[in-house]
Amino acid sequence: MLDVEFLINPPSILDRPLIYRYRSGILRARVKKIVRVIAEQQGKELVQCSTAELPSYCVGGGLFPSMALCDLQAPSTGRSGPNEISALQALSHEHAEVAILFVEEGHPMLKEAAWSIAARSCVIVEEPEVTTSTVTPILEYLVRQSEFVRNPDLLAVREFRSHFDDFIAEHKRLDLPSFKQEFDRTVLLHVEPKTGEFLRSKAACKQQLGPNRIMQPLRGLVERADPSQLPELLHGLAVRFPSGRTGREIADELARHAQTLFKPGVGSQPTRRIRTGFRRHCAMPGGGTPRVNFWLWAAIVLAFTPRLFRIELQGARRRPVADLSLVTIDQMGREFLRRLPGEHGGDPLSGLWSELEEAVLRVRDEAEDERTAQGKLVQLLSAELRLSPTGTSNWVESLRKTLTGRVAPGETSNSLLVQPPVQRDPVRHRKPQSFADVIGHQVTVERLRRRLQRNESTPIILYGPEGVGKKTLGRLYAKGLLCEGDPAVNSAPCGSCEPCQRFDAGEVLDYIEFDAASPHAADYVRQNLLKNLQYASFSRHRMVLIANPDKSQALVDMCLKTLETRSDLTRFIFTVTNIRAMSDTGKSRCDIYRLGRLDEESAKSLGKRFLGASSLSMDERAIDLLVAEANGLPSRLLELSLTVSGSHATTVEQMRRILSLDWAPEAISIGHFLLAQPRAGEGVPELPRGWDCRNAVRRVRSVLAEIYRFYESRKVYRSAFLHLDGDAISELTKKLCVRATEMDVPFRDLWVEISLQWTSDHNDCPRAWRQTRGTLSKCEVQ
């Protein structure tokens, strides 16, 4: 069975073990979600397990009704281990309990004799190669899942199907991600968003003549915050650039259209036409005004400009694909809708300030104000904000200062604003300069030190979550290879010798770093890197740090011959987020080091380093909030510290405001009302000021999830609920325990029933409230 067929018509029950063989893994998350639903329908809980634990689950070794899922990692040795063979044998047993195994195509386990037996005993779900025999279910799945397809009968259109038959004929081997990319490109270029009609190439080209192809959906998206306009905007941009585009061209086009939004009369009175022909005013989502929405959109366009500039055309033919630029614009639109004033908390630009600053500094440093679309947009937005009334939102004041670089007259330095890091704060330079400065990751640091002492030449892979510090350690290791100090000294690299100082200044010719996820990375490796590695080095080592090789398997394969030589001169360093996505061949030639999230103590020490002197006057509980919000990721912790460092926040309440967590006390109050003893004739309470149904449902879900975590571990995990008055989560947990006792049901059963009422997709807060109160009132009847 193909995985797309499994997702289209999933079985209601599983009566045999299931093995999912995937190639790219593009549908792994969806398959896992369906498996979880099937387990719940059978009254079981899906639990993760290792290959060593899988046999015990297959013979019914779980303490509770459960269905085991083993997501098998590729072995670093290139050979199957005894646990993996035992897992296959357990799945093949005639009376085996239902269990799930995810395994990558090409895994050595699939060559074992036990595999042929397991293949006959289990349900096999496979990710297909795209061929004429598999294209029909693949297209059916993509049509159902695509956000850009509004006509469910599109697959019945003969020209639409013929287009993909021709595309398959042009390619000898085609994987699912590449085919999906072509599918998205075709839908964007040739499917009319409003009618769902498939247009032939000539008809699609004629659409370019429409001057409002981009502007109309852009106004609908920004003025009315209408999500349905985003696919039409993407369609318009795809038609506008049918012969290929770079990210820079797209960025310029967006900046020019953003300028048009500021023309007089645009957005002054948002209206909506009704059937009678008259117009009526429509409220802005989240309580925002059109002009504020325009400011936010313009700021997001500028913040995403550096990302778009880094996108180039793929290949010499300049063939348009459903490319990274359109994917980035789709992300921009979603970020805009998510960050609308009133939807995202106090700072809708949180997390984008550094990129916004980069774009503004590029304009300012290169004196491009009059020459580029971005420069003109900066000027226009600055003029708009200068005319804005005093007392506007904190983020608007911060945006004005970012664009102009000036502080408004009469503004005090101790005002509590959510400010971007416009000033060159010393926090930027508090990254470790040697291994002795590193906080956390001590096991990996010690192993890298030993490598320097032994002068090992094997390439290394540093893998872990995004923002965990992979590049920082990779750069320190490269710096240590150049260092002329004694590698036995614990502080290596020393940071004081000439090579270390040149490395810090970015003046080392023999250090190469690039991102494998960029569209032109493969061409760079083929045409430049591999040729340059043949020449002599200026230093005793040449270091190559490649980020995200898991997103370009072909690029690692290009370097295999160089990796096999294990030259004493050239040292490869790979930083990887998804280790499973790297080829087994590439991993077998490297030493692998895993970086996990920082523990609470290490994260707190690092946070104090980032905050510097301001941490001395700060409440320890406020620092706890900052650390918990970063979730063990140094990169996120640095970003939050930059946001906090200029605000002079010292108390827990101020920190909650800065981090947009000040909704938590009101959410706790709602939780107390929700779980209180039911009373006759009670109604649905009013929502707090500034909340809507979607916010309320999402935040009640958070409270319920935290109640269950606290019940299981007696510990508060989410940062929003830390250090609230009176142990708020503990009190709510006790209250729900009392309700469960009154109803004579287990705590977990009552919690599940209530949670399900708040986890449906309708976002109907009053209905969920009434259902929950109705559930709790059963104890009165009993």
Side-chain angles (χ1 to χ4, degrees):
M1 177 188 296
L2 302 182
D3 53 4
V4 289
E5 295 173 326
F6 181 80
L7 293 172
I8 292 172
N9 296 307
S12 56
I13 61 171
L14 283 175
D15 55 4
R16 290 187 293 162
L18 181 146
I19 300 177
Y20 177 37
R21 293 174 55 177
Y22 60 89
R23 287 181 166 85
S24 66
I26 188 174
L27 298 179
R28 283 176 70 250
R30 292 185 180 272
V31 172
K32 189 176 293 186
K33 183 177 180 181
I34 292 296
V35 168
R36 189 179 301 278
V37 172
I38 295 173
E40 291 175 354
Q41 290 174 347
Q42 295 183 228
K44 298 180 179 180
E45 182 178 359
L46 190 68
V47 295
Q48 295 274 357
C49 72
S50 64
T51 50
E53 298 168 330
L54 188 61
S56 65
Y57 281 99
C58 289
V59 298
L63 295 176
F64 305 99
S66 58
M67 186 180 294
L69 187 150
C70 177
D71 198 347
L72 187 60
Q73 296 187 10
S76 58
T77 61
R79 297 188 301 271
S80 296
N83 289 335
E84 295 164 350
I85 297 174
S86 298
L88 275 181
Q89 294 171 343
L91 291 170
S92 308
H93 195 275
E94 182 180 359
H95 301 292
E97 294 287 331
V98 176
I100 318 294
L101 176 66
F102 280 27
V103 59
E104 186 176 0
E105 183 69 27
H107 193 287
M109 170 194 284
L110 304 180
K111 300 176 183 178
E112 300 289 342
W115 165 250
S116 58
I117 301 174
R120 293 192 297 268
S121 306
C122 304
V123 177
I124 305 297
V125 178
E126 298 180 281
E127 179 185 332
E129 282 190 327
V130 184
T131 64
T132 53
S133 61
T134 61
V135 69
T136 298
I138 293 173
L139 280 175
E140 182 181 354
Y141 172 77
L142 293 177
V143 167
R144 289 190 181 193
Q145 293 296 319
S146 176
E147 298 178 0
F148 306 127
V149 176
R150 299 187 179 181
N151 178 11
D153 300 324
L154 185 61
L155 193 57
V157 179
R158 183 169 57 84
E159 293 87 351
F160 181 76
R161 172 60 187 267
S162 298
H163 171 84
F164 291 102
D165 289 338
D166 295 340
F167 180 73
I168 293 172
E170 293 175 4
H171 297 78
K172 295 181 180 179
R173 296 186 65 182
L174 195 61
D175 59 16
L176 191 56
S178 301
F179 186 78
K180 183 180 184 301
Q181 193 177 57
E182 173 63 19
F183 176 86
D184 290 341
R185 183 193 77 85
T186 302
V187 170
L188 286 170
L189 277 175
H190 300 290
V191 176
E192 171 61 39
K194 293 182 179 179
T195 64
E197 179 186 1
F198 180 74
L199 305 174
R200 297 176 180 85
S201 298
K202 293 182 179 179
C205 291
K206 291 180 181 179
Q207 296 181 30
Q208 298 178 60
L209 302 177
N212 293 323
R213 174 63 59 180
I214 299 174
M215 200 59 215
Q216 282 184 349
L218 179 61
R219 284 184 179 176
L221 175 69
V222 178
E223 274 190 52
R224 302 191 301 273
D226 184 358
S228 66
Q229 298 298 312
L230 182 55
E232 296 194 25
L233 173 62
L234 295 173
H235 178 77
L237 287 168
V239 171
R240 170 71 177 82
F241 297 97
S243 60
R245 65 200 72 82
T246 64
R248 183 177 290 271
E249 291 171 327
I250 292 285
D252 291 344
E253 187 78 9
L254 286 175
R256 284 191 289 269
H257 282 87
Q259 295 170 41
T260 307
L261 292 174
F262 290 100
K263 288 184 177 180
V266 177
S268 55
Q269 289 184 339
T271 58
R272 182 174 294 155
R273 186 175 294 278
I274 55 179
R275 290 186 178 181
T276 59
F278 297 100
R279 292 178 181 266
R280 67 182 182 190
H281 296 295
C282 60
M284 301 302 298
T289 65
R291 304 308 287 184
V292 174
N293 285 11
F294 294 163
W295 299 343
L296 177 60
W297 174 253
I300 289 177
V301 167
L302 289 171
F304 274 76
T305 294
R307 302 188 200 182
L308 289 167
F309 275 13
R310 290 190 284 267
I311 298 174
E312 299 296 336
L313 285 171
Q314 295 186 356
R317 292 183 298 166
R318 298 176 64 84
R319 174 176 185 155
V321 294
D323 55 70
L324 290 173
S325 56
L326 292 181
V327 171
T328 304
I329 294 168
D330 180 58
Q331 183 183 357
M332 287 173 57
R334 295 175 188 276
E335 285 293 307
F336 169 76
L337 295 171
R338 185 176 70 86
R339 294 168 177 270
L340 284 171
E343 301 285 341
H344 190 262
D347 180 14
L349 290 175
S350 175
L352 294 177
W353 286 113
S354 58
E355 292 175 287
L356 177 61
E357 183 192 20
E358 180 183 347
V360 173
L361 288 177
R362 183 195 297 266
V363 170
R364 190 180 302 156
D365 294 344
E366 299 179 8
E368 294 180 343
D369 297 50
E370 298 294 338
R371 292 185 290 144
T372 67
Q374 289 75 30
K376 293 177 181 178
L377 181 59
V378 168
Q379 280 194 335
L380 187 59
L381 184 55
S382 300
E384 277 272 329
L385 296 177
R386 279 197 296 269
L387 298 176
S388 63
T390 58
T392 52
S393 302
N394 291 339
W395 75 270
V396 175
E397 295 293 331
S398 298
L399 178 60
R400 176 181 57 76
K401 291 192 291 184
T402 302
L403 297 173
T404 62
R406 296 191 297 268
V407 179
E411 189 176 79
T412 60
S413 60
N414 61 349
S415 58
L416 185 60
L417 297 177
V418 182
Q419 299 183 22
V422 179
Q423 306 282 328
R424 293 301 183 198
D425 195 272
V427 170
R428 290 181 180 274
H429 307 290
R430 289 183 185 143
K431 289 192 175 183
Q433 301 301 308
S434 71
F435 284 132
D437 296 334
V438 175
I439 295 177
H441 307 311
Q442 291 308 306
V443 174
T444 301
V445 167
E446 189 57 37
R447 293 172 70 184
L448 292 177
R449 276 191 184 135
R450 287 201 297 267
R451 287 182 62 90
L452 291 176
Q453 294 168 6
R454 299 170 184 171
N455 195 25
E456 297 180 13
S457 60
T458 311
I460 66 171
I461 294 176
L462 300 171
Y463 82 94
E466 188 106 16
V468 79
K470 301 182 293 292
K471 279 187 181 178
T472 298
L473 284 186
R475 289 166 183 160
L476 281 178
Y477 179 68
K479 183 178 174 182
L481 289 170
L482 289 173
C483 180
E484 295 179 348
D486 184 359
V489 178
N490 288 336
S491 60
C494 68
S496 57
C497 64
E498 182 181 354
C500 284
Q501 292 177 356
R502 291 178 58 196
F503 186 93
D504 292 337
E507 298 173 355
V508 177
L509 297 177
D510 290 312
Y511 174 69
I512 302 168
E513 178 181 323
F514 65 94
D515 191 340
S518 62
H520 57 278
D523 292 336
Y524 166 74
V525 171
R526 188 185 306 108
Q527 300 171 10
N528 299 97
L529 178 64
L530 295 180
K531 294 180 180 178
N532 294 339
L533 293 182
Q534 301 173 10
Y535 302 123
S537 170
F538 292 94
S539 309
R540 59 175 182 167
H541 294 297
R542 180 191 288 119
M543 292 72 61
V544 181
L545 191 153
I546 304 178
N548 301 310
D550 48 319
K551 298 178 182 177
S552 178
Q553 212 172 76
L555 185 144
V556 179
D557 293 340
M558 291 179 198
C559 302
L560 283 179
K561 187 174 181 180
T562 307
L563 293 176
E564 288 172 351
T565 61
R566 297 195 177 184
S567 166
D568 285 336
L569 176 62
T570 302
R571 307 293 174 86
F572 279 90
I573 305 166
F574 299 102
T575 61
V576 178
T577 301
N578 181 11
I579 189 66
R580 297 189 186 98
M582 278 196 73
S583 66
D584 292 339
T585 313
K587 287 186 288 190
S588 66
R589 288 159 173 78
C590 303
D591 289 339
I592 301 176
Y593 303 92
R594 179 182 178 276
L595 301 179
R597 297 174 186 267
L598 297 181
D599 59 62
E600 186 176 345
E601 183 180 351
S602 298
K604 194 167 185 177
S605 299
L606 186 60
K608 290 182 177 180
R609 174 188 290 179
F610 288 154
L611 291 170
S614 60
S615 66
L616 299 177
S617 58
M618 192 174 292
D619 190 333
E620 285 289 324
R621 296 176 301 164
I623 298 177
D624 289 342
L625 256 64
L626 180 72
V627 169
E629 184 69 7
N631 196 21
L633 297 176
S635 177
R636 175 66 173 156
L637 185 57
L638 175 59
E639 180 185 349
L640 294 175
S641 299
L642 288 169
T643 303
V644 169
S645 60
S647 67
H648 297 276
T650 57
T651 66
V652 175
E653 290 72 21
Q654 290 172 335
M655 185 65 75
R656 287 189 191 282
R657 181 182 171 190
I658 293 295
L659 300 179
S660 300
L661 301 176
D662 46 356
W663 54 268
E666 292 177 319
I668 292 295
S669 298
I670 290 178
H672 279 292
F673 282 117
L674 183 67
L675 302 179
Q677 188 76 29
R679 296 190 301 272
E682 65 180 17
V684 178
E686 293 185 3
L687 296 179
R689 184 178 179 182
W691 286 33
D692 58 18
C693 277
R694 185 171 63 177
N695 281 333
V697 170
R698 187 175 69 248
R699 289 164 182 174
V700 170
R701 289 175 188 168
S702 299
V703 172
L704 291 171
E706 198 64 27
I707 287 174
Y708 189 78
R709 292 193 196 102
F710 186 86
Y711 178 79
E712 291 290 319
S713 64
R714 298 299 167 185
K715 181 180 178 182
V716 176
Y717 286 90
R718 183 157 182 174
S719 56
F721 303 118
L722 284 176
H723 302 306
L724 292 172
D725 293 338
D727 292 331
I729 295 297
S730 174
E731 292 299 321
L732 285 176
T733 306
K734 292 176 183 177
K735 187 169 287 190
L736 187 57
C737 286
V738 171
R739 299 285 86 81
T741 302
E742 292 171 346
M743 299 175 65
D744 194 23
V745 296
F747 175 90
R748 187 180 184 278
D749 291 352
L750 179 58
W751 180 87
V752 168
E753 185 173 356
I754 293 174
S755 297
L756 288 175
Q757 294 160 359
W758 290 89
T759 53
S760 55
D761 296 329
H762 50 69
N763 281 332
D764 188 345
C765 182
R767 182 165 70 174
W769 181 278
R770 286 191 289 268
Q771 288 175 343
T772 301
R773 299 301 286 168
T775 297
L776 296 177
S777 65
K778 294 177 184 177
C779 65
E780 295 295 318
V781 177
Q782 295 175 357

